[in-house]
Amino acid sequence: MTTITIQKPDDWHLHFRDGDILKETVAATARCFQRAIVMPNLVPPVTNASDINAYRERILAARPAGSQFEPLMVLYLTNQTTQQDIADAKASGAVAAKLYPAGATTNSDAAVSALDALFPIFEEMQKQGMLLLIHGEVTDNHIDIFDREKEFIDQHLTRIVAAFTELKIVFEHITTKDAAEFVIAAGDNVAATITPQHLLLNRNDLLVGGVKPHNYCLPVLKRNIHQQALRAVVASGNSKFFLGTDSAPHEKRAKENACGCAGCYSAWSAIELYTHVFDELGALDKLEGFASHYGADFYGLPRNTDTITLEKQDWTIPEQIILPNGEPIVPFFAGQTCSWQIKG
């Protein structure tokens, strides 16, 4: 197969950031995705309906001329979030709220430190029909970083899923065989997103031959056995798993730093890299479901009606992109060959 046409895909997890960088990140996403779930971990975070409305307007203002791209907004949960905050966020058009354990990732220090105290909030979300998106890692210092996703499942996610059987939950950017098996075994109200980096890489790609800061993300890359489990589950066509890039831009100087920050900026070539993976797996017939159908279905939104066509043609992902502020950013898979590209 040398070309493939699919319904226009959506990105069910990404980071746009804020300010001038929106001119880069929104355009990069809008070129191939119709909608995107926008993460709320700004500084300060998006914690109420007013914040949601203002951030949405900034994103819409950054859309390329003529673009119909639609941002799907998310509330940032804290231990100060109230049931009224949930109701107001839902009324403002937010489709979900995000649970970050405090300190788990970029700009999460203000997030949830006492998870059980949020159970009344989860109950209100269930009542309102608002999805719960979860960064599923514990942050206890004594827990090995490679075990933190499984520990979150055992300590917290099992209890949340058991207590709220009508609450739709997305276990975001899963990285382990354990997470894939948990989602498969859970009820129809539980799904997961999978990133391109966790399909393409494992922890050898981060650590062997020297630390590679542009492959550093959170949750961190895991063993090859976990990478292969994720590749197997997307190749199976299971509708509980769908596209979420977790595209997370950082300036080159912030990544190549003594304390480099976490995140892979994949929006620039995301759908092409997913197609590359599905082709490697001999599963191109499963790509449209993963990229264009299952996420919309789980969120209860209509599938897109437009299409995109990709053609099998090698191209090299740029070594860097210059941001509006003049600073370079290194895209995910920079300098490497991708075997598919969007036609036209």
Side-chain angles (χ1 to χ4, degrees):
M1 185 181 295
T2 58
T3 63
I4 181 172
T5 298
I6 62 173
Q7 285 177 278
K8 197 167 186 181
D10 302 300
D11 188 344
W12 298 99
H13 179 125
L14 63 66
H15 301 263
F16 279 141
R17 307 304 187 204
D18 208 355
D20 284 348
I21 198 171
L22 290 175
K23 297 174 184 177
E24 158 63 27
T25 56
V26 174
T29 295
R31 72 185 181 88
C32 61
F33 293 112
Q34 182 64 45
R35 297 170 292 205
I37 290 287
V38 180
M39 290 297 102
N41 57 330
L42 306 182
V43 181
V46 179
T47 58
N48 57 53
S50 177
D51 293 342
I52 288 168
N53 291 331
Y55 190 29
R56 181 194 291 114
E57 289 306 311
R58 296 195 297 275
I59 294 168
L60 292 175
R63 289 188 303 185
S67 172
Q68 297 301 307
F69 170 78
E70 180 185 1
L72 301 173
M73 307 307 292
V74 178
L75 183 74
Y76 182 107
L77 294 174
T78 73
N79 281 117
Q80 287 70 51
T81 301
T82 66
Q83 290 165 310
Q84 188 61 50
D85 289 330
I86 297 299
D88 291 345
K90 177 70 174 181
S92 76
V95 299
K98 178 65 180 277
L99 170 63
Y100 291 103
T105 190
T106 304
N107 301 336
S108 64
D109 291 346
V112 176
S113 56
L115 194 150
D116 284 13
L118 281 191
F119 273 46
I121 301 303
F122 300 155
E123 185 174 357
E124 181 66 21
M125 291 174 61
Q126 182 172 254
K127 175 183 172 183
Q128 293 283 347
M130 181 180 284
L131 281 77
L132 173 62
L133 315 182
I134 296 179
H135 181 122
E137 292 186 289
V138 298
T139 56
D140 310 77
N141 288 335
H142 67 283
I143 303 296
D144 189 292
I145 192 170
F146 293 106
D147 298 331
R148 291 182 176 187
E149 186 170 274
K150 184 180 185 306
E151 283 294 324
F152 187 90
I153 295 169
D154 295 343
Q155 291 185 30
H156 302 298
L157 190 55
T158 302
R159 294 187 301 111
I160 295 170
V161 169
F164 302 99
T165 57
E166 301 301 318
L167 177 63
K168 284 190 173 183
I169 297 170
V170 181
F171 194 177
E172 297 199 300
H173 45 48
I174 64 168
T175 67
T176 59
K177 182 174 182 284
D178 309 276
E181 291 174 348
F182 177 86
V183 173
I184 290 169
D188 291 342
N189 62 314
V190 179
T193 55
I194 301 180
T195 74
Q197 61 264 29
H198 292 106
L199 293 171
L200 284 160
L201 307 177
N202 59 63
R203 66 188 190 181
N204 281 356
D205 299 293
L206 174 64
L207 299 170
V208 172
V211 176
K212 300 173 181 63
H214 297 287
N215 289 345
Y216 174 51
C217 56
L218 290 171
V220 71
L221 298 169
K222 303 299 195 299
R223 289 179 179 272
N224 179 60
I225 59 169
H226 297 298
Q227 178 194 6
Q228 295 307 317
L230 299 185
R231 288 169 71 94
V233 82
V234 300
S236 75
N238 190 313
S239 63
K240 284 174 161 259
F241 302 89
F242 43 85
L243 186 156
T245 63
D246 195 22
S247 180
H250 294 281
E251 294 176 359
K252 182 179 180 181
R253 62 181 179 178
K255 293 287 288 180
E256 299 176 4
N257 189 285
C259 188
C261 49
C264 299
Y265 182 49
S266 58
W268 219 81
S269 54
I271 193 61
E272 294 90 340
L273 288 172
Y274 280 115
T275 308
H276 180 106
V277 169
F278 276 76
D279 190 18
E280 286 183 337
L281 296 171
L284 282 173
D285 60 318
K286 304 297 195 304
L287 175 66
E288 185 174 44
F290 176 82
S292 311
H293 294 168
Y294 305 151
D297 295 348
F298 190 77
Y299 273 78
L301 296 171
R303 296 177 180 180
N304 299 319
T305 56
D306 291 343
T307 62
I308 63 168
T309 297
L310 296 111
E311 56 186 347
K312 193 165 188 177
Q313 183 172 329
D314 287 351
W315 63 289
T316 302
I317 296 172
E319 294 283 355
Q320 65 181 27
I321 297 160
I322 304 302
L323 296 173
N325 66 358
E327 290 288 335
I329 187 170
V330 177
F332 180 60
F333 244 49
Q336 299 190 55
T337 299
C338 179
S339 59
W340 288 83
Q341 64 181 171
I342 294 177
K343 189 174 182 179

Coordinates of all heavy atoms in Angstrom, one line a residue, residues 119-170:
F119 N -12.9 12.5 45.9 CA -14.0 11.6 45.5 C -15.3 12.3 45.4 O -16.1 12.0 44.4 CB -14.1 10.4 46.5 CG -13.2 9.3 46.2 CD1 -11.9 9.5 45.8 CD2 -13.6 8.0 46.2 CE1 -11.0 8.4 45.4 CE2 -12.8 6.9 45.8 CZ -11.5 7.1 45.5
P120 N -15.7 13.3 46.2 CA -16.9 14.0 46.0 C -16.9 14.8 44.6 O -17.9 15.0 44.0 CB -17.0 15.0 47.1 CG -16.2 14.3 48.2 CD -15.1 13.7 47.5
I121 N -15.7 15.2 44.2 CA -15.6 15.9 42.9 C -15.8 14.9 41.8 O -16.5 15.2 40.8 CB -14.2 16.6 42.8 CG1 -14.0 17.6 43.9 CG2 -14.0 17.2 41.4 CD1 -15.0 18.7 44.0
F122 N -15.2 13.7 41.9 CA -15.5 12.7 40.9 C -17.0 12.4 40.8 O -17.5 12.1 39.7 CB -14.7 11.4 41.2 CG -13.2 11.6 41.3 CD1 -12.4 10.7 42.0 CD2 -12.6 12.6 40.6 CE1 -11.0 10.9 42.1 CE2 -11.2 12.8 40.7 CZ -10.4 11.9 41.4
E123 N -17.6 12.4 41.9 CA -19.1 12.1 41.9 C -19.8 13.2 41.2 O -20.7 12.9 40.4 CB -19.6 12.0 43.4 CG -21.1 11.6 43.5 CD -21.5 11.4 44.9 OE1 -20.7 11.5 45.8 OE2 -22.7 11.1 45.1
E124 N -19.4 14.4 41.3 CA -20.0 15.5 40.6 C -19.7 15.4 39.1 O -20.6 15.7 38.3 CB -19.6 16.9 41.2 CG -20.2 18.1 40.5 CD -21.7 18.2 40.7 OE1 -22.2 17.6 41.7 OE2 -22.3 18.9 39.9
M125 N -18.5 15.0 38.8 CA -18.2 14.9 37.4 C -19.0 13.8 36.7 O -19.5 13.9 35.6 CB -16.7 14.5 37.2 CG -15.8 15.7 37.6 SD -14.0 15.2 37.6 CE -13.8 14.7 35.9
Q126 N -19.2 12.7 37.5 CA -20.1 11.6 37.0 C -21.5 12.1 36.7 O -22.1 11.8 35.7 CB -20.1 10.5 38.0 CG -20.9 9.3 37.6 CD -20.6 8.1 38.6 OE1 -20.0 7.1 38.3 NE2 -21.2 8.2 39.8
K127 N -22.0 12.9 37.6 CA -23.3 13.5 37.5 C -23.4 14.4 36.3 O -24.4 14.5 35.6 CB -23.7 14.3 38.8 CG -25.0 15.0 38.7 CD -25.2 15.8 40.1 CE -26.4 16.7 40.0 NZ -26.5 17.5 41.2
Q128 N -22.3 15.2 36.1 CA -22.3 16.2 35.0 C -22.0 15.6 33.6 O -22.1 16.3 32.6 CB -21.3 17.3 35.3 CG -21.7 18.2 36.5 CD -22.7 19.2 36.2 OE1 -23.1 19.5 35.1 NE2 -23.3 19.8 37.3
G129 N -21.5 14.4 33.6 CA -21.1 13.8 32.3 C -19.8 14.4 31.8 O -19.5 14.4 30.6
M130 N -18.9 14.7 32.8 CA -17.6 15.3 32.4 C -16.6 14.1 32.6 O -16.5 13.5 33.6 CB -17.2 16.4 33.3 CG -15.9 17.1 33.0 SD -15.5 18.5 34.1 CE -16.5 19.7 33.4
L131 N -15.7 14.0 31.6 CA -14.7 12.9 31.7 C -13.6 13.2 32.7 O -13.2 14.4 32.8 CB -14.1 12.6 30.3 CG -14.9 11.8 29.3 CD1 -16.1 12.6 28.7 CD2 -14.0 11.2 28.2
L132 N -13.0 12.2 33.3 CA -11.9 12.3 34.1 C -10.7 11.8 33.4 O -10.6 10.7 33.0 CB -12.1 11.5 35.4 CG -10.9 11.4 36.4 CD1 -10.5 12.8 36.9 CD2 -11.1 10.5 37.5
L133 N -9.7 12.7 33.2 CA -8.4 12.3 32.5 C -7.3 12.2 33.6 O -7.2 13.1 34.4 CB -8.0 13.4 31.5 CG -9.1 13.9 30.6 CD1 -8.6 15.0 29.6 CD2 -9.8 12.8 29.9
I134 N -6.6 11.1 33.6 CA -5.7 10.8 34.7 C -4.2 10.7 34.2 O -4.0 9.8 33.3 CB -6.1 9.6 35.4 CG1 -7.5 9.8 36.1 CG2 -5.1 9.2 36.5 CD1 -8.0 8.6 36.9
H135 N -3.3 11.4 34.8 CA -1.9 11.1 34.7 C -1.6 10.1 35.8 O -1.6 10.5 37.0 CB -1.1 12.4 34.9 CG 0.4 12.2 34.8 ND1 1.2 12.8 33.9 CD2 1.2 11.4 35.5 CE1 2.4 12.5 34.0 NE2 2.5 11.6 35.0
G136 N -1.5 8.9 35.4 CA -1.5 7.8 36.4 C -0.1 7.4 36.9 O 0.4 6.3 36.5
E137 N 0.5 8.2 37.8 CA 1.7 7.8 38.4 C 1.7 8.3 39.9 O 1.2 9.4 40.2 CB 2.9 8.5 37.7 CG 3.2 8.0 36.4 CD 4.5 8.7 35.9 OE1 4.5 9.9 35.6 OE2 5.5 8.0 35.8
V138 N 2.2 7.5 40.8 CA 2.4 7.9 42.1 C 3.7 8.8 42.1 O 4.5 8.7 41.2 CB 2.6 6.8 43.1 CG1 1.3 5.9 43.2 CG2 3.8 5.9 42.8
T139 N 3.9 9.6 43.2 CA 5.1 10.4 43.2 C 5.9 10.2 44.5 O 6.8 11.0 44.8 CB 4.6 11.9 43.2 OG1 3.7 12.2 44.3 CG2 4.0 12.2 41.9
D140 N 5.6 9.1 45.2 CA 6.4 8.8 46.4 C 7.9 8.6 46.1 O 8.2 7.9 45.2 CB 5.9 7.5 47.1 CG 4.3 7.5 47.2 OD1 3.6 7.3 46.2 OD2 3.9 7.8 48.4
N141 N 8.7 9.3 46.9 CA 10.1 9.2 46.6 C 10.7 7.8 46.6 O 11.7 7.6 45.9 CB 10.9 10.1 47.5 CG 10.7 11.6 47.3 OD1 10.4 12.0 46.2 ND2 10.8 12.4 48.3
H142 N 10.2 7.0 47.4 CA 10.7 5.6 47.6 C 10.3 4.7 46.4 O 10.8 3.6 46.4 CB 10.4 5.0 48.9 CG 8.9 4.7 49.1 ND1 8.0 5.7 49.3 CD2 8.2 3.5 49.0 CE1 6.8 5.1 49.4 NE2 6.9 3.8 49.2
I143 N 9.4 5.1 45.6 CA 8.9 4.3 44.5 C 9.8 4.5 43.2 O 9.9 5.7 42.8 CB 7.4 4.5 44.1 CG1 6.6 4.3 45.4 CG2 7.0 3.6 43.0 CD1 6.5 2.9 45.9
D144 N 10.4 3.5 42.7 CA 11.2 3.6 41.5 C 10.4 4.2 40.4 O 9.2 3.9 40.2 CB 11.6 2.2 41.1 CG 12.7 2.2 40.0 OD1 12.3 2.6 38.8 OD2 13.8 1.8 40.2
I145 N 11.0 5.1 39.6 CA 10.3 5.9 38.6 C 9.7 5.0 37.5 O 8.7 5.3 36.9 CB 11.2 7.0 38.0 CG1 10.4 7.9 37.1 CG2 12.3 6.3 37.2 CD1 11.1 9.2 36.7
F146 N 10.4 3.8 37.3 CA 9.9 2.9 36.3 C 8.7 2.1 36.8 O 8.0 1.4 36.0 CB 11.0 2.0 35.8 CG 12.1 2.7 35.1 CD1 13.3 2.9 35.7 CD2 11.9 3.1 33.8 CE1 14.3 3.6 35.0 CE2 12.9 3.8 33.1 CZ 14.1 4.0 33.7
D147 N 8.4 2.1 38.1 CA 7.3 1.4 38.7 C 6.1 2.2 39.0 O 5.1 1.7 39.5 CB 7.7 0.6 39.9 CG 8.8 -0.4 39.6 OD1 8.8 -0.9 38.5 OD2 9.7 -0.6 40.5
R148 N 6.2 3.5 38.8 CA 5.2 4.4 39.3 C 3.8 4.3 38.7 O 2.8 4.6 39.3 CB 5.7 5.9 39.3 CG 6.8 6.1 40.3 CD 7.4 7.5 40.3 NE 8.4 7.6 41.3 CZ 9.0 8.7 41.7 NH1 8.6 9.9 41.1 NH2 9.9 8.7 42.7
E149 N 3.7 3.9 37.4 CA 2.4 3.8 36.8 C 1.7 2.5 37.4 O 0.5 2.6 37.7 CB 2.6 3.6 35.3 CG 1.3 3.5 34.5 CD 1.6 3.6 33.0 OE1 1.7 4.7 32.4 OE2 1.7 2.5 32.3
K150 N 2.4 1.4 37.5 CA 1.8 0.2 38.1 C 1.3 0.5 39.5 O 0.3 0.1 39.9 CB 2.7 -0.9 38.0 CG 2.1 -2.2 38.6 CD 3.0 -3.4 38.5 CE 2.3 -4.7 38.9 NZ 1.6 -4.6 40.2
E151 N 2.2 1.2 40.3 CA 1.8 1.5 41.7 C 0.5 2.4 41.7 O -0.3 2.2 42.6 CB 2.9 2.3 42.4 CG 4.1 1.3 42.8 CD 3.6 0.4 43.9 OE1 2.8 0.7 44.7 OE2 4.1 -0.8 43.8
F152 N 0.4 3.3 40.8 CA -0.8 4.1 40.7 C -2.0 3.3 40.5 O -3.1 3.5 41.1 CB -0.7 5.2 39.7 CG -1.9 6.2 39.7 CD1 -1.8 7.4 40.5 CD2 -3.0 6.0 39.0 CE1 -2.8 8.3 40.5 CE2 -4.1 6.9 39.0 CZ -4.0 8.0 39.8
I153 N -1.9 2.3 39.6 CA -3.0 1.4 39.3 C -3.4 0.7 40.6 O -4.6 0.6 41.0 CB -2.7 0.4 38.2 CG1 -2.4 1.1 36.9 CG2 -3.8 -0.7 38.1 CD1 -1.8 0.2 35.8
D154 N -2.4 0.1 41.3 CA -2.7 -0.7 42.4 C -3.2 0.1 43.6 O -4.2 -0.3 44.3 CB -1.4 -1.4 42.9 CG -0.9 -2.4 41.8 OD1 -1.8 -2.8 41.0 OD2 0.2 -2.8 41.9
Q155 N -2.7 1.3 43.8 CA -3.0 2.1 45.0 C -4.3 3.0 44.8 O -5.1 3.2 45.7 CB -1.9 3.1 45.3 CG -0.6 2.4 45.9 CD 0.4 3.5 46.3 OE1 0.0 4.6 46.7 NE2 1.7 3.1 46.2
H156 N -4.5 3.5 43.5 CA -5.6 4.5 43.3 C -6.5 4.2 42.2 O -7.8 4.2 42.4 CB -4.9 5.8 43.0 CG -4.0 6.3 44.1 ND1 -4.4 6.6 45.4 CD2 -2.6 6.6 44.0 CE1 -3.3 7.0 46.1 NE2 -2.3 7.0 45.3
L157 N -6.1 3.8 41.0 CA -7.0 3.7 39.9 C -8.0 2.6 40.1 O -9.1 2.7 39.7 CB -6.2 3.5 38.6 CG -7.0 3.6 37.3 CD1 -7.7 4.9 37.2 CD2 -6.1 3.5 36.1
T158 N -7.6 1.5 40.7 CA -8.5 0.4 40.9 C -9.7 0.9 41.8 O -10.8 0.5 41.5 CB -7.8 -0.8 41.6 OG1 -6.7 -1.2 40.7 CG2 -8.7 -1.9 41.8
R159 N -9.4 1.6 42.8 CA -10.4 2.1 43.7 C -11.3 3.2 43.0 O -12.6 3.2 43.2 CB -9.8 2.8 44.9 CG -9.1 1.8 45.8 CD -8.6 2.3 47.1 NE -7.8 3.5 47.0 CZ -8.1 4.7 47.3 NH1 -9.3 5.1 47.7 NH2 -7.2 5.7 47.1
I160 N -10.7 4.0 42.2 CA -11.6 5.0 41.5 C -12.5 4.4 40.5 O -13.7 4.7 40.5 CB -10.7 6.0 40.8 CG1 -9.8 6.8 41.8 CG2 -11.5 7.0 39.9 CD1 -8.7 7.7 41.1
V161 N -12.0 3.4 39.8 CA -12.9 2.7 38.8 C -14.0 2.0 39.5 O -15.1 1.9 39.0 CB -12.0 1.8 37.9 CG1 -12.8 0.9 37.1 CG2 -11.1 2.7 37.0
A162 N -13.7 1.3 40.6 CA -14.7 0.6 41.3 C -15.8 1.5 41.9 O -16.9 1.1 42.0 CB -14.0 -0.3 42.4
A163 N -15.4 2.6 42.3 CA -16.3 3.5 43.0 C -17.2 4.3 42.1 O -18.3 4.7 42.4 CB -15.5 4.5 43.9
F164 N -16.8 4.5 40.8 CA -17.5 5.4 39.9 C -17.7 4.7 38.6 O -17.0 4.9 37.6 CB -16.7 6.7 39.7 CG -16.5 7.5 41.0 CD1 -15.3 7.4 41.7 CD2 -17.6 8.2 41.5 CE1 -15.1 8.1 42.8 CE2 -17.4 8.9 42.7 CZ -16.2 8.8 43.4
T165 N -18.7 3.8 38.6 CA -18.9 2.9 37.4 C -19.5 3.6 36.2 O -19.5 3.1 35.1 CB -19.7 1.7 37.8 OG1 -21.0 2.2 38.3 CG2 -19.1 0.9 38.9
E166 N -20.0 4.8 36.4 CA -20.6 5.6 35.3 C -19.7 6.8 34.9 O -20.1 7.5 34.0 CB -22.0 6.1 35.7 CG -23.0 5.1 36.1 CD -23.2 4.1 35.0 OE1 -23.4 4.5 33.8 OE2 -23.3 2.9 35.3
L167 N -18.6 6.9 35.5 CA -17.7 8.0 35.2 C -16.7 7.6 34.1 O -16.0 6.6 34.2 CB -16.9 8.4 36.4 CG -15.8 9.5 36.3 CD1 -16.4 10.8 35.8 CD2 -15.0 9.6 37.6
K168 N -16.7 8.3 33.0 CA -15.8 7.9 31.9 C -14.4 8.4 32.3 O -14.2 9.6 32.7 CB -16.2 8.6 30.6 CG -17.4 7.9 29.9 CD -17.6 8.4 28.5 CE -18.6 7.5 27.8 NZ -18.8 8.0 26.4
I169 N -13.4 7.5 32.2 CA -12.1 7.7 32.7 C -11.1 7.4 31.5 O -11.2 6.3 30.9 CB -11.7 6.9 33.9 CG1 -12.6 7.2 35.1 CG2 -10.2 7.0 34.3 CD1 -12.5 6.2 36.2
V170 N -10.2 8.4 31.2 CA -9.1 8.1 30.3 C -7.8 8.0 31.0 O -7.4 9.0 31.7 CB -9.0 9.2 29.2 CG1 -7.9 8.9 28.2 CG2 -10.4 9.4 28.5

